[in-house]
């Protein structure tokens, strides 16, 4: 066929037609026509064989192409499932996700995102897998020399590189960004798997069925069906991976907020306890109250993921242990929420205690002012009792003076004695207030010292000075009041005695007068008759 092209065939056919139309053919022309027809017949048979061969070759090519596509599809499917399994293990959040190992040559299974104890995954139904724990362990698979299954070798704790927790914002952002990018990559691979692997192999198989002159074996059709059925497990895995990454990001954000609240509460409590050992300051109390209000607002805004419907809880039939992982994450975050609220309560109690101390100090300051006021009040009342009312007209407002007989005059010191009970009552009230104020100040100061508060020395001195001054005024007023009471009592008795004596003298005078009159009447007198005699 390499020597015959379409031009050659056309010439042979034209020659055979032309010669066959002639009526008289020579023996040579007849032989030529017979040869041409024989050649054309042979060429047609050859073309038919070549077409059948070409169809078989095309069918073989399509069969080989389908085999390659099938193998590539199975391989990529296995790679996607294996990579997704490793990604899901790494992307399952736990507090150990932030641990960084100082290992210069880390093994492939100790990536920064890898939990210290990973969840065992199982695609079988009914698997019960425990969530990851906080304990650090590393298991290495070793192949048995006897051809048996691989054995697990646990590296001792002392040989493991010591981790440290990197909870910085940059590290957490890098982890979240890496997980998001990796999840997006796996989602893209899952989405493109059907269009790049399953659909081309199916199309190739359809072409093979159309080209093949023989029936395509059922094994090939069944294999294609099995590939499509087994690959259907990838449906939803891309979204599942994205949801796993979203769960990690949500858990990380929630965990970060809780840790910040816990740190704020712990720092506030520590600062308040340190401040309680020093003299309480009102400005410091205002700062503590502002910090506590901010902490309280953050605590109120906390949402427990276990009761929140917006918190991702991804599930997929291929990962039966995902429900246990979800519950583990919710339980860990629930514990952290309780811990944050407990620390906030402790900070609240500490802030309230410090505020009470500040109020006590402020109360002491007010008591010092009150004691100064009471000392002034006592001094004023004492001065009025000592010096009188200042109205000296006829001696009405002057203080009691029993050194002269003039004090026996009822009009003497009349205004002073009239106002004396009021001054005495005011003095007694001021004295009672002073006694309560002194007891309150000393009790509050003692309570602060017993609470371990280092009270300012100046405040102590001012309190003691105020107490001493007030007690001195109380003693002075008490002494003067006793003296005035004694004088007023003596004056009252003297005036009563003087009045009695005056009344008695008057009575005696009247009696004398009456006796004189009686004696005068009973005395013998010379009558007129006696005079005549």
């Amino acid at each position: 066929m390499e020597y015959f092209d379409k031009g050659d065939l056309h010439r042979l056919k034209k020659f055979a037609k032309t010669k066959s139309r002639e009526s008289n053919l020579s023996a040579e022309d007849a032989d030529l026509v017979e040869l041409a027809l024989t050649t054309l017949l042979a060429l047609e048979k050859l073309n038919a064989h070549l077409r059948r061969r070409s169809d078989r070759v095309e069918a073989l090519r399509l069969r080989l192409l389908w085999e390659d596509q099938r193998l590539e599809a199975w391989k990529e499917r296995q790679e996607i499932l294996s990579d997704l399994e490793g990604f899901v293990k790494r992307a399952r959040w736990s507090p150990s996700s932030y641990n960084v190992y100082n290992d210069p040559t880390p093994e492939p299974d100790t990536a920064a995102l890898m939990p210290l104890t990973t969840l065992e995954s199982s695609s079988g139904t009914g698997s019960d897998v425990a969530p990851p724990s906080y304990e650090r362990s590393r298991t290495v698979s070793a192949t048995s020399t006897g051809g048996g299954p691989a054995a697990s070798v646990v590296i001792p704790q002392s040989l493991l590189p010591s981790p440290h927790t990197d909870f910085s914002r940059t590290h957490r952002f890098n982890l979240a960004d890496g997980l998001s990018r990796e999840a997006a990559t796996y989602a893209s691979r899952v989405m493109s798997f059907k269009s790049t692997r399953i659909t081309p192999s199916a199309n190739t198989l359809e072409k093979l069925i159309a080209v093949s002159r023989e029936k395509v074996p059922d094994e090939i059709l069944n294999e294609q069906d099995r590939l499509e059925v087994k690959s259907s497990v990838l449906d939803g895995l891309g979204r599942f991976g994205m949801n796993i990454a979203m769960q990690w990001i949500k858990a990380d954000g929630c965990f970060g907020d809780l840790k910040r609240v816990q740190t704020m509460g712990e720092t506030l409590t520590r600062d308040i306890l340190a401040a309680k050992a020093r003299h309480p300051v009102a400005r410091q109390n205002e700062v503590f109250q502002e910090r506590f209000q901010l902490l309280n607002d953050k605590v109120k805004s906390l949402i427990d993921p276990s009761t929140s419907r917006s918190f991702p809880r991804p599930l997929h039939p291929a990962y039966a242990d995902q429900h246990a992982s979800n519950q583990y994450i919710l339980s860990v975050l629930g514990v952290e929420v309780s811990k944050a609220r407990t620390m906030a309560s402790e900070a609240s109690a500490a802030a309230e205690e410090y505020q009470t101390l500040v109020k006590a100090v402020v109360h002491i300051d007010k008591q010092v002012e009150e004691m100064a006021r009471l000392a002034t009040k006592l001094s004023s009342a004492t001065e009025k009792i000592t010096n009188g009312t200042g109205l000296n007209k006829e001696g009405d407002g002057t203080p009691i003076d029993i050194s002269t007989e003039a004090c026996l005059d009822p009009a003497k010191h009349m205004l002073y004695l009239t106002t004396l009970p009021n001054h005495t009552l005011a003095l007694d009230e001021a004295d009672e207030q002073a006694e309560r104020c002194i007891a309150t100040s000393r009790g509050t100061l003692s309570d602060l010292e017993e609470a371990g508060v280092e009270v300012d020395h100046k405040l102590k001195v001012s309190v003691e000075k105020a107490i001493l001054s007030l007690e001195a005024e109380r003693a002075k007023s008490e002494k003067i009041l006793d003296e005035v009471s004694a004088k007023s009592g003596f004056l009252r008795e003297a005036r009563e005695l003087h009045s009695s004596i005056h009344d008695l003298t008057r009575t005696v005078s009247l009696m004398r007068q009456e006796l004189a009159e009686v004696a005068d009447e009973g005395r013998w007198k010379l009558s007129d008759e006696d005079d005549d005699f």
Side-chain angles (χ1 to χ4, degrees):
M1 291 299 294
E2 295 177 356
Y3 298 99
F4 292 94
D5 55 9
K6 292 183 178 180
D8 295 332
L9 291 175
H10 181 70
R11 284 194 298 273
L12 283 175
K13 290 180 180 180
K14 185 177 181 181
F15 174 77
K17 288 181 181 179
T18 302
K19 292 297 181 180
S20 61
R21 290 174 183 173
E22 294 180 1
S23 58
N24 296 321
L25 291 175
S26 63
E28 291 82 2
D29 291 338
D31 292 337
L32 288 175
V33 170
E34 182 181 1
L35 180 59
L37 293 174
T38 304
T39 302
L40 289 173
L41 180 61
L43 288 175
E44 287 297 332
K45 291 180 180 180
L46 182 57
N47 282 331
H49 286 294
L50 289 177
R51 281 194 297 270
R52 286 193 296 272
R53 181 177 176 273
S54 177
D55 291 341
R56 287 195 295 269
V57 170
E58 179 65 18
L60 180 59
R61 186 187 69 81
L62 292 175
R63 169 66 184 277
L64 294 176
L65 178 60
W66 176 82
E67 289 288 349
D68 291 338
Q69 291 174 343
R70 179 184 68 85
L71 293 176
E72 290 296 330
W74 281 113
K75 180 180 178 182
E76 185 168 349
R77 172 189 174 277
Q78 188 61 33
E79 289 178 353
I80 291 176
L81 290 176
S82 177
D83 293 344
L84 273 174
E85 183 178 357
F87 169 74
V88 169
K89 288 181 179 181
R90 295 193 307 276
R92 282 172 173 165
W93 181 89
S94 72
S96 59
S97 299
Y98 311 101
N99 287 354
V100 179
Y101 287 89
N102 299 323
D103 192 350
T105 57
E107 297 179 5
D109 61 340
T110 57
L113 289 174
M114 188 73 169
L116 297 179
T117 303
T118 58
L119 285 172
E120 297 179 0
S121 62
S122 174
S123 59
T125 59
S127 60
D128 187 9
V129 181
S133 63
Y134 288 90
E135 298 178 358
R136 292 183 53 235
S137 62
R138 182 179 299 173
T139 302
V140 180
S141 297
T143 304
S144 174
T145 56
S152 296
V153 179
V154 178
I155 298 178
Q157 181 75 20
S158 59
L159 298 181
L160 289 175
S162 59
H164 69 276
T165 301
D166 187 358
F167 200 65
S168 63
R169 188 184 298 272
T170 302
H171 181 63
R172 291 169 55 209
F173 174 79
N174 291 336
L175 292 179
D177 185 64
L179 286 176
S180 299
R181 291 176 181 272
E182 195 171 358
T185 301
Y186 290 133
S188 176
R189 288 176 61 184
V190 171
M191 290 178 63
S192 63
F193 176 76
K194 186 173 182 180
S195 60
T196 58
R197 297 302 179 189
I198 302 299
T199 302
S201 65
N203 293 336
T204 301
L205 184 57
E206 290 178 359
K207 290 179 181 179
L208 176 60
I209 294 173
V211 170
S212 178
R213 294 177 176 272
E214 300 175 356
K215 181 182 179 181
V216 177
D218 293 337
E219 291 79 1
I220 295 178
L221 300 177
N222 294 337
E223 179 65 16
Q224 180 65 29
D225 293 339
R226 193 171 74 89
L227 176 61
E228 295 178 0
V229 171
K230 290 292 185 180
S231 298
S232 63
V233 73
L234 296 177
D235 296 341
L237 276 181
R239 182 176 296 276
F240 175 72
M242 294 293 290
N243 290 337
I244 286 287
M246 181 58 65
Q247 184 189 54
W248 195 98
I249 295 173
K250 288 285 188 179
D252 170 71
C254 182
F255 189 70
D257 293 340
L258 293 173
K259 284 299 181 183
R260 278 192 293 272
V261 171
Q262 293 173 11
T263 302
M264 289 176 61
E266 184 179 2
T267 304
L268 178 57
T269 303
R270 184 172 60 249
D271 293 345
I272 292 176
L273 293 178
K276 284 175 63 177
R278 301 187 296 271
H279 180 73
V281 182
R283 176 54 187 163
Q284 186 67 46
N285 178 58
E286 294 177 1
V287 173
F288 287 152
Q289 291 299 321
E290 292 176 359
R291 291 174 60 184
F292 171 70
Q293 187 61 39
L294 179 61
L295 173 63
N296 192 36
D297 293 340
K298 288 187 175 294
V299 171
K300 289 181 179 179
S301 65
L302 291 178
I303 299 177
D304 192 347
S306 60
T307 60
S308 174
R309 294 184 178 181
S310 61
F311 190 82
R313 296 174 176 83
L315 295 173
H316 195 275
Y319 293 88
D321 58 346
Q322 185 59 37
H323 178 72
S325 177
N326 293 340
Q327 294 302 317
Y328 165 72
I329 294 174
L330 294 176
S331 64
V332 170
L333 295 179
V335 170
E336 295 297 331
V337 170
S338 300
K339 186 177 179 182
R341 289 173 177 170
T342 301
M343 289 186 173
S345 299
E346 293 176 354
S348 174
E352 187 175 354
E353 290 178 2
Y354 190 81
Q355 188 174 25
T356 303
L357 296 178
V358 171
K359 289 181 179 180
V361 172
V362 173
H363 182 66
I364 290 177
D365 292 333
K366 291 182 178 180
Q367 291 297 316
V368 171
E369 297 176 359
E370 181 68 13
M371 285 188 289
R373 187 186 67 81
L374 290 174
T376 303
K377 185 176 180 180
L378 286 172
S379 177
S380 176
T382 304
E383 184 178 357
K384 289 180 180 180
I385 292 175
T386 303
N387 300 327
T389 60
L391 300 176
N392 297 323
K393 183 180 179 181
E394 297 180 357
D396 284 349
T398 58
I400 299 174
D401 184 10
I402 58 176
S403 61
T404 62
E405 187 178 350
C407 68
L408 298 176
D409 185 2
K412 188 70 173 178
H413 312 301
M414 183 176 62
L415 181 61
Y416 179 83
L417 292 174
T418 302
T419 59
L420 181 61
N422 295 331
H423 294 323
T424 303
L425 181 61
L427 196 63
D428 290 339
E429 291 179 353
D431 185 73
E432 291 178 1
Q433 294 177 2
E435 185 177 3
R436 290 195 301 268
C437 190
I438 291 173
T440 302
S441 299
R442 285 178 172 171
T444 305
L445 198 62
S446 177
D447 292 341
L448 290 176
E449 291 178 349
E450 289 179 359
V453 179
E454 185 179 351
V455 183
D456 187 22
H457 180 68
K458 293 182 179 179
L459 181 60
K460 288 183 179 180
V461 172
S462 63
V463 172
E464 292 298 330
K465 288 178 63 177
I467 290 176
L468 291 176
S469 176
L470 186 57
E471 287 181 341
E473 289 295 334
R474 288 182 64 199
K476 180 181 178 182
S477 63
E478 184 178 1
K479 180 180 179 182
I480 292 176
L481 186 61
D482 291 341
E483 292 177 356
V484 171
S485 298
K487 286 182 179 181
S488 62
F490 179 79
L491 180 62
R492 183 173 59 255
E493 292 177 357
R495 284 183 176 181
E496 290 177 355
L497 182 61
H498 180 265
S499 177
S500 299
I501 293 174
H502 182 268
D503 293 341
L504 183 61
T505 302
R506 186 176 178 181
T507 301
V508 170
S509 178
L510 291 174
M511 291 176 65
R512 283 180 178 179
Q513 187 177 355
E514 290 177 358
L515 289 173
E517 292 178 355
V518 170
D520 186 53
E521 290 178 357
R523 182 185 299 173
W524 180 83
K525 293 180 180 180
L526 183 64
S527 62
D528 293 339
E529 294 178 357
D530 293 333
D531 290 339
D532 293 338
F533 179 77

